[in-house]
């Protein structure tokens, strides 16, 4: 039986920031990414609610990525791994989401929650180490892999026989980003870790190590 994110086990005690972001403030979580993971960050927009209406702090009433995009248009020039910059950003905007740029220290393979949980179960049963995995409130999963994955993904999918098949499998690499836990994303809730970047999930796998079960799971759900 497939699991949903709500059914995933929760820690019994509050973890420290090297294990998870559950219960942490956004500033503390951002500092953890910088200091413990050596990941760069960018300040994101925040979710606002007034008079029963949801909106994005960017001010665009038609924004389709409420609280889920960089707060600055020139965000690629603002990327920083400096704790002082993170402290400045999240002191001024304490509800701003944490944006992690991809294509630098990691890439991300994104798929549906159903396919991702199936692939994750297969990887764990095989004894593989999938690395960090995050889940969004929009029912998407992020698999963190080594950077420069885009070429490997295309080549590996072709070798697996999926080259001409349209799969719900996206590689986020150079020039892209994701919204990191515990940021609020849209109106449905927070991004959360399924496998936090610590202990067995600390090291990033090569994309080729996770692509076969991911492609199979995405193909299975495509057929359905």
């Amino acid at each position: 039986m497939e699991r949903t994110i709500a059914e995933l086990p929760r820690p019994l005690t509050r973890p420290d920031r090297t294990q998870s972001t559950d219960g942490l403030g956004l500033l503390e979580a951002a500092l953890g990414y910088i200091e413990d993971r050596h990941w760069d960050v960018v300040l994101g927009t925040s979710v606002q609610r007034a008079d029963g209406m949801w909106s994005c702090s960017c001010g665009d009433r038609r924004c389709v990525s409420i609280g889920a995009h960089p707060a600055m248009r020139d965000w690629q020039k603002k990327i920083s791994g400096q704790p002082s910059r993170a402290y400045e950003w999240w002191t001024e905007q304490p509800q701003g989401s944490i944006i992690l740029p991809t294509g630098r220290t990691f890439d991300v393979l994104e798929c549906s929650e159903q396919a991702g949980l199936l692939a994750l179960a297969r990887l764990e049963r095989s004894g593989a180490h999938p690395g960090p995995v995050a889940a969004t409130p929009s029912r998407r999963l992020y698999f963190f892999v080594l950077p420069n994955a885009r070429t490997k993904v295309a080549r590996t999918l072709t070798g697996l026989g999926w080259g001409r098949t349209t799969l719900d499998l996206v590689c986020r690499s150079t020039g892209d980003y994701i919204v990191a836990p515990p940021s609020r994303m849209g109106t449905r809730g927070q991004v959360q870790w399924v496998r936090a970047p610590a202990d067995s999930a600390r090291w990033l796998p090569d994309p080729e190590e996770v692509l076969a079960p991911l492609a199979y799971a995405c193909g299975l759900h495509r057929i359905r």
Side-chain angles (χ1 to χ4, degrees), residues 186-218:
T187 61
R188 299 181 184 180
Q190 293 175 297
V191 185
Q192 60 179 301
W193 287 112
V194 178
R195 285 172 54 88
D199 300 329
S200 62
R202 183 181 183 91
W203 308 110
L204 301 178
D206 189 285
E208 295 172 331
E209 297 177 50
V210 300
L211 269 173
L214 272 175
Y216 169 81
C218 290

Side-chain angles (χ1 to χ4, degrees), residues 6 34 53 58 63 68 76 109 124 138 145 149-150 173 194 199 216:
I34 292 173
M53 300 292 292
C58 70
C63 181
Q76 294 192 57
L109 302 181
E124 291 174 339
S138 57
V145 297
R150 197 163 277 156
S173 190
V194 178
D199 300 329
Y216 169 81

Side-chain angles (χ1 to χ4, degrees), residues 37-40 101-107 145-147 204:
R37 301 277 78 79
H38 305 293
W39 291 350
D40 295 331
T102 51
R104 298 168 75 87
T105 52
F106 61 82
D107 282 356
V145 297
L146 291 172
L204 301 178

Side-chain angles (χ1 to χ4, degrees), residues 125-145:
R125 283 198 300 268
S126 70
H129 297 288
V133 180
T136 75
S138 57
R139 303 182 72 87
R140 306 289 291 177
L141 254 61
Y142 295 149
F143 285 75
F144 286 60
V145 297

Side-chain angles (χ1 to χ4, degrees), residues 15-82:
D16 62 37
R17 75 181 186 190
T18 65
Q19 295 177 321
S20 176
T21 54
D22 291 350
L24 297 189
L26 290 163
L27 171 58
E28 190 174 1
L31 290 173
Y33 291 134
I34 292 173
E35 296 174 345
D36 302 325
R37 301 277 78 79
H38 305 293
W39 291 350
D40 295 331
V41 301
V42 172
L43 177 67
T45 54
S46 59
V47 179
Q48 300 178 336
R49 184 174 173 83
D51 300 324
M53 300 292 292
W54 296 96
S55 64
C56 183
S57 62
C58 70
D60 184 353
R61 295 184 179 181
R62 296 174 296 177
C63 181
V64 296
S65 300
I66 297 176
H69 62 88
M72 302 157 283
R73 290 187 178 182
D74 58 344
W75 66 271
Q76 294 192 57
K77 298 179 180 179
K78 304 293 186 181
I79 295 169
S80 178
Q82 296 297 320

Side-chain angles (χ1 to χ4, degrees), residues 156-167:
T156 302
L157 289 179
T158 298
L160 293 170
W162 297 100
R164 297 185 178 182
T165 306
T166 302
L167 296 176

